[in-house]
Amino acid sequence: NAGVTQTPKFRVLKTGQSMTLLCAQDMNHEYMYWYRQDPGMGLRLIHYSVGEGTTAKGEVPDGYNVSRLKKQNFLLGLESAAPSQTSVYFCASSPPRQGISSGANVLTFGAGSRLTVL
Amino acid sequence: AQTVTQSQPEMSVQEAETVTLSCTYDTSESDYYLFWYKQPPSRQMILVIRQEAYKQQNATENRFSVNFQKAAKSFSLKISDSQLGDAAMYFCAYRSRFGNEKLTFGTGTRLTIIP
């Protein structure tokens, strides 16, 4: 059982280049998330999805786009990379809502993807 | 919007001693969940413990326990008998019980274990 898999794990980009981070989960989770982690700022939510075909903005969505065409995949795209997007990106997923205690459902995280924009 | 504050960027503790990491949060909701995540140098985010706000009893997982003070909006993590493997970044996080699916994190506390 692989859990949450992120590819690639490392990438170096030049300013203005585009790229896509792929997140795949094999746990049949409804909810998926993209976070970025920067020193001293914790994890901040970029975009999230509560089901196939749906996406929503998080705390820091500017400069990113996402798609959830398949339930198991959540893609994060950078159309024109900027140095401010140098960060470690984490994907996470969570089980489907099941009754009133679903908020306790734990997020399962991928191993992270380190992106450097020069 | 909910906010989570961890006021201790760094903490250190002698091996086998006890350490407490602080977390406060701000919310207007009455039902929610609180979590502590551990991030070792491997970068993997690992759930340490979770607390349901409607439960008065503090959660415990082996050497890890919390002190949940709902009125004060405080959620501290106590690590007993600290071990070298406990060295990591620790993040406090908040999640609404209904509607809002997001997990909001604090800025983290880096814990160093002194042999």
Side-chain angles (χ1 to χ4, degrees):
Chain A
N1 190 345
V4 177
T5 303
Q6 294 180 226
T7 53
K9 288 184 169 51
F10 302 93
R11 184 74 185 270
V12 178
L13 287 177
K14 295 182 179 179
T15 298
Q17 287 185 319
S18 64
M19 75 157 296
T20 300
L21 295 173
L22 170 63
C23 178
Q25 53 95 3
D26 60 2
M27 297 170 285
N28 197 36
H29 285 175
E30 287 291 336
Y31 307 145
M32 296 188 74
Y33 310 82
W34 276 108
Y35 284 88
R36 61 176 288 173
Q37 182 179 18
D38 302 292
M41 303 188 76
L43 279 78
R44 295 179 292 168
L45 184 64
I46 304 171
H47 286 280
Y48 65 103
S49 168
V50 298
E52 181 179 325
T54 69
T55 63
K57 294 180 179 180
E59 183 184 354
V60 288
D62 293 344
Y64 304 96
N65 56 75
V66 289
S67 64
R68 184 103 181 265
L69 298 180
K70 294 182 178 180
K71 185 178 182 179
Q72 64 268 33
N73 295 337
F74 195 31
L75 280 64
L76 177 71
L78 286 71
E79 290 186 347
S80 179
S84 61
Q85 294 177 304
T86 294
S87 187
V88 179
Y89 292 84
F90 285 93
C91 177
S93 68
S94 178
R97 181 175 287 277
Q98 292 176 345
I100 62 173
S101 64
S102 63
N105 288 335
V106 175
L107 269 65
T108 300
F109 284 84
S113 298
R114 180 176 293 279
L115 174 65
T116 301
V117 183
L118 303 175
Chain B
Q2 295 81 22
T3 58
V4 178
T5 301
Q6 293 179 250
S7 59
Q8 306 156 316
E10 297 183 349
M11 293 279 286
S12 61
V13 63
Q14 293 277 354
E15 193 176 2
E17 296 296 311
T18 295
V19 64
T20 298
L21 308 184
S22 300
C23 172
T24 58
Y25 57 94
D26 187 28
T27 183
S28 59
E29 300 173 330
S30 59
D31 286 334
Y32 47 86
Y33 296 90
L34 297 164
F35 304 84
W36 279 99
Y37 278 86
K38 170 185 177 181
Q39 186 182 43
S42 67
R43 237 170 37 194
Q44 185 68 49
M45 295 289 287
I46 302 166
L47 177 70
V48 175
I49 199 166
R50 64 182 166 186
Q51 174 78 40
E52 299 166 356
Y54 57 87
K55 290 186 177 179
Q56 293 186 344
Q57 186 175 5
N58 289 326
T60 299
E61 289 287 343
N62 300 315
R63 297 182 296 106
F64 298 87
S65 62
V66 298
N67 183 5
F68 174 49
Q69 301 289 328
K70 190 173 184 180
K73 297 180 182 176
S74 172
F75 183 60
S76 60
L77 174 70
K78 185 172 80 171
I79 306 174
S80 304
D81 185 25
S82 298
Q83 301 175 359
L84 294 178
D86 295 332
M89 282 288 287
Y90 286 82
F91 293 97
C92 179
Y94 172 104
R95 192 178 194 188
S96 297
R97 188 175 180 186
F98 300 109
N100 189 329
E101 310 299 346
K102 298 179 287 185
L103 194 65
T104 301
F105 286 87
T107 53
T109 297
R110 181 174 301 280
L111 179 64
T112 301
I113 310 296
I114 303 168

